[in-house]
Amino acid sequence: MMSKLDGVEERFAEIGQMLTQPEVVNDSNRYTKLMKEYSRLEPIAEKYKEYKSAKAQNDEARELLSEGGMDEEMHEMVQEQLNESSKNIELLSNELKIMLLPKDPNDEKNVIVEIRGGAGGEEASLFAGSLYRMYSMYAASKGWTTQILSANETDLGGYKEISFSIEGNGAYSRMKYESGVHRVQRVPETESQGRIHTSTVTVAVLPEAEEVELELNEATELKIDVFRASGAGGQHINKTESAVRITHLPTGLVVECQDERSQYKNKDKAMRVLRSRLLDMQREAQDNEIASKRRSMVGTGDRSERIRTYNFPESRVSDHRIGLTIYKLDSFLNGAIDEIVDALALADMTARLESEEE
């Protein structure tokens, strides 16, 4: 770890010098790139500076104690310095280990969230709508923006499936823990006997792919069909061929969008979803090649895995990956999900640290 930190410190100082050079300042692309690297290294370099200061104090105290010849008051003062610096060294060492963990390259990206009703029919569709509302409120609390990309709404106001984007700094770093099967236990409004039903909803969180990351050849890789939209939506429905269906021929992936009046806008939305699904497929293939001991215990998770239960009679939310239960169902469904997200992020970080130490 120390050799890594020495390298960070050296590079940080080097970039600091480079940023003062006129040829760098006048090259906007290079300057921006170096500033990003400088900003990323600065907190590590500062923390390492604190660590070295604590280490120097610790070494000094040890040396003084080994020499002896001090009165009792001085001995106590030096011993206190030794104890305090030892605690600081341990604390700063752990913080530096965390800071040196490889960053998920997708963490700062926007996301596309896909929610689908599973077992439970209309009740599952209604809960899909509840989860969409929950994530929308969570995004709003973070200052992020949401946009529906496609939706298949039911007569009772639920969704058989809905895809939407969330745009904002660090959106994926927080939302990535939501992928998986969400289970709800409650008495449906249509249940006359008051029996509790169990339904499931599947959530997939995809980092949004940028065009430069995934270039698609429209002529050879894509089949694009246009058709008349169906369902509720106004006078343009069934009168103009605004709906778009895109098939990615190499994989067979199909994406449809018919929410907009404009064929161009529907195509743009469908392409965003397609790119993100393809990027997610690539990432999943890469993850499967990683040794199991290095794979995080939480992270983005398997979409077939049941990750969470929402129990309405007990006002309980239980996350099964980390064994955490909170009794704040109402506030949770109103977007206050940080308590569980923070716990998942901590568990993820701990698992990665243990993996690195192995």
Side-chain angles (χ1 to χ4, degrees):
M1 184 175 81
M2 291 303 117
S3 62
K4 282 185 181 179
L5 289 167
D6 287 337
V8 168
E9 186 178 52
E10 184 179 332
R11 178 60 177 165
F12 180 69
E14 180 187 8
I15 296 173
Q17 288 291 326
M18 293 170 69
L19 289 171
T20 64
Q21 298 169 1
E23 61 269 27
V24 174
V25 175
N26 294 328
D27 185 341
S28 60
N29 287 336
R30 189 181 179 196
Y31 184 81
T32 301
K33 186 176 179 181
L34 286 171
M35 273 302 298
K36 284 184 178 179
E37 187 178 0
Y38 186 87
S39 299
R40 180 176 62 83
L41 296 178
E42 185 173 20
I44 304 175
E46 291 296 323
K47 190 67 67 175
Y48 187 36
K49 187 177 178 181
E50 290 180 44
Y51 174 88
K52 290 199 295 184
S53 175
K55 185 73 167 59
Q57 291 175 23
N58 191 269
D59 291 343
E60 180 187 30
R62 288 181 186 279
E63 186 177 344
L64 287 171
L65 288 172
S66 66
E67 290 175 357
M70 295 177 284
D71 59 30
E72 186 177 345
E73 185 178 350
M74 184 65 176
H75 186 277
E76 287 181 4
M77 188 184 303
V78 175
Q79 185 63 51
E80 186 178 340
Q81 178 180 321
L82 178 67
N83 294 340
E84 186 176 345
S85 60
S86 295
K87 288 179 182 177
N88 286 339
I89 286 171
E90 184 179 0
L91 177 65
L92 291 165
S93 178
N94 288 333
E95 289 178 355
L96 284 165
K97 284 179 185 177
I98 292 170
M99 295 174 87
L100 286 175
L101 282 174
K103 296 284 190 277
D104 186 335
N106 294 318
D107 272 353
E108 296 306 311
K109 289 185 178 179
N110 301 326
V111 300
I112 289 177
V113 184
E114 299 180 337
I115 303 176
R116 291 181 174 83
E122 186 63 48
E123 174 65 5
S125 297
L126 287 169
F127 192 62
S130 298
L131 290 184
Y132 166 65
R133 177 179 176 275
M134 178 180 83
Y135 293 134
S136 297
M137 295 180 76
Y138 180 61
S141 73
K142 296 291 184 185
W144 302 337
T145 58
T146 58
Q147 180 187 25
I148 293 179
L149 301 175
S150 65
N152 185 352
E153 196 170 355
T154 65
D155 293 337
L156 296 182
Y159 293 100
K160 290 182 179 178
E161 57 184 60
I162 180 170
S163 298
F164 59 99
S165 64
I166 299 179
E167 297 183 5
N169 291 333
Y172 185 74
S173 70
R174 305 295 290 174
M175 289 296 299
K176 64 183 178 182
Y177 302 109
E178 296 303 301
S179 286
V181 176
H182 296 240
R183 183 175 68 169
V184 58
Q185 296 172 326
R186 64 182 176 185
V187 179
E189 294 178 10
T190 55
E191 171 57 59
S192 58
Q193 303 298 318
R195 292 173 298 188
I196 296 173
H197 284 223
T198 299
S199 306
T200 60
V201 171
T202 301
V203 175
V205 179
L206 317 176
E208 183 163 6
E210 298 174 11
E211 288 189 39
V212 293
E213 289 180 285
L214 198 65
E215 294 184 7
L216 297 172
N217 188 318
E218 192 169 317
T220 60
E221 295 183 70
L222 305 180
K223 180 186 177 187
I224 301 177
D225 299 308
V226 295
F227 56 98
R228 293 183 180 181
S230 59
Q235 294 181 350
H236 71 290
I237 295 297
N238 293 323
K239 292 187 179 179
T240 60
E241 292 191 337
S242 59
V244 174
R245 180 188 299 112
I246 301 177
T247 304
H248 183 245
L249 298 174
T251 62
L253 272 179
V254 179
V255 176
E256 289 185 7
C257 188
Q258 60 177 8
D259 286 12
E260 299 286 347
R261 293 174 179 268
S262 161
Q263 185 185 115
Y264 173 80
K265 288 182 179 179
N266 280 327
K267 180 183 175 184
D268 181 60
K269 284 185 174 182
M271 287 294 289
R272 287 173 64 188
V273 174
L274 178 63
R275 280 198 179 91
S276 297
R277 286 189 188 173
L278 289 170
L279 185 69
D280 188 60
M281 286 176 65
Q282 290 181 5
R283 183 187 59 78
E284 189 174 359
Q286 290 168 356
D287 286 348
N288 289 336
E289 294 176 4
I290 299 174
S292 59
K293 71 174 185 177
R294 295 182 61 85
R295 193 175 294 147
S296 169
M297 296 302 292
V298 285
T300 52
D302 185 339
R303 282 178 214 155
S304 63
E305 175 192 5
R306 189 192 71 197
I307 64 166
R308 195 175 295 151
T309 295
Y310 305 75
N311 185 291
F312 277 70
E314 299 176 15
S315 190
R316 167 172 59 85
V317 183
S318 299
D319 197 286
H320 307 296
R321 292 163 292 182
I322 53 176
L324 175 62
T325 293
I326 62 174
Y327 292 88
K328 303 174 183 177
L329 180 61
D330 287 345
S331 62
F332 197 85
L333 288 175
N334 283 327
I337 70 174
D338 268 331
E339 184 175 350
I340 283 184
V341 173
D342 286 341
L344 287 164
L346 179 61
D348 186 20
M349 190 183 304
T350 302
R352 290 166 62 202
L353 271 173
E354 291 173 353
S355 176
E356 287 289 318
E357 289 170 359
E358 290 176 10

